[in-house]
């Protein structure tokens, strides 16, 4: 798609409609079903950045080059770059262009960045990082959940635990596992943990998919989860904390042994 001339500028609604219908036509591009062109383009460029194709400090191609590479309009490129700047992956300056920011500036709590990070060559580092986060947060959050959970919250935790054991596929089990841990964070009664849990949901999904696939004894893992559920239900904070630490130690072993 070529840029419209200034005296023939499309209205925002018409331009958006054209963008959605264009698509990213490269066969290896990260086209997200139902997503706009600029969202799919941001995903493709973001994944390349996180996996190291464009190291920090790299000056990225200009709008015209991206437009040609992905067969999209320049307006789609501009919107994609804006999305990546909002996630702190990129910075931009007139006459210089866009460049990749240092990794420590990336917003790793952003859902998209987490998803790209999880599929990068540094996946092992990613898994260890998520696991360290769990060691810091989950034992105390679970102890608080045992003290503060409501009956409704307890029902949610118990149902997720039960669905883990009944799952017929890896995906079903992983999703139930994630719901279980996020429900515990909500039941902790700490308002800061609720949005944090939502942000790291993608990270949990990737971690649990890996560990569930690699674990040798799912029955043992299920029992570890059931011990957590039981101690929250019986409102035993110390026992709940200890149960979580046993689960985390088991996950540590799975990650280190693979």
């Amino acid at each position: 798609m070529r840029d419209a001339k200034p005296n023939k500028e499309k209205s925002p609604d018409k331009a958006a409609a054209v963008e959605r219908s264009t698509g990213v036509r490269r066969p290896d591009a990260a086209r997200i079903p139902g997503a706009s062109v600029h969202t799919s383009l941001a995903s493709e460029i973001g994944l390349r950045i996180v996996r190291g194709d464009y190291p920090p400090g790299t000056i990225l191609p200009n709008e015209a080059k991206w437009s040609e590479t992905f067969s999209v309009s320049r307006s789609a490129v501009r919107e994609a770059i804006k999305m990546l700047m909002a996630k702190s992956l990129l910075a931009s300056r007139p006459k210089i262009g866009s460049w990749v920011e240092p990794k420590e500036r990336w917003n790793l709590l952003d859902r998209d960045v987490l998803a790209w990070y999880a599929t990068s060559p540094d996946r092992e580092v990613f898994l260890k990082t998520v696991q360290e986060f769990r060691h810091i947060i989950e034992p105390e959050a679970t102890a608080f959940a045992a003290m503060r959970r409501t009956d409704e919250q307890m029902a949610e935790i118990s149902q997720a635990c039960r669905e883990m054991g009944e799952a017929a596929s890896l995906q079903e089990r992983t999703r139930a596992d994630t719901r279980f841990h996020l429900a515990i964070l909500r039941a902790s009664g700490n308002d800061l943990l609720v949005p944090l849990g939502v942000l790291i949901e993608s990270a949990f999904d990737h971690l649990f998919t890996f560990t569930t696939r690699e674990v040798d004894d799912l029955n043992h893992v299920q029992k570890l989860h059931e011990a957590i559920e039981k101690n929250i239900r019986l409102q035993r904070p110390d026992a709940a904390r200890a149960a979580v630490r046993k689960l985390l130690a088991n996950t540590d072993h799975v990650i280190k042994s693979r």
Side-chain angles (χ1 to χ4, degrees), residues 42-54:
S43 180
E44 172 67 13
I45 298 173
L47 178 59
R48 292 183 180 195
I49 291 171
V50 173
R51 75 187 181 194
D53 292 3
Y54 301 109

Side-chain angles (χ1 to χ4, degrees), residues 94-165:
K95 298 183 180 180
I96 297 178
S98 302
W99 66 88
V100 180
E101 288 277 64
K103 184 176 179 181
E104 57 266 24
R105 295 184 184 176
W106 297 355
N107 181 8
L108 291 178
L109 288 181
D110 180 273
R111 283 175 177 267
D112 293 332
V113 180
L114 275 172
W116 302 331
Y117 191 13
T119 58
S120 73
D122 289 335
R123 185 178 68 170
E124 184 177 348
V125 174
F126 166 78
L127 295 176
K128 290 179 178 179
T129 300
V130 176
Q131 190 65 3
E132 285 178 1
F133 173 87
R134 296 182 68 201
H135 275 283
I136 295 168
I137 298 295
E138 287 199 64
E140 294 309 312
T142 304
F144 279 122
M147 292 186 284
R148 299 172 176 173
R149 56 83 177 162
T150 65
D151 290 343
E152 183 179 11
Q153 290 169 335
M154 189 65 240
E156 185 180 11
I157 294 169
S158 298
Q159 180 178 351
C161 186
R162 183 170 59 254
E163 289 177 355
M164 278 185 63

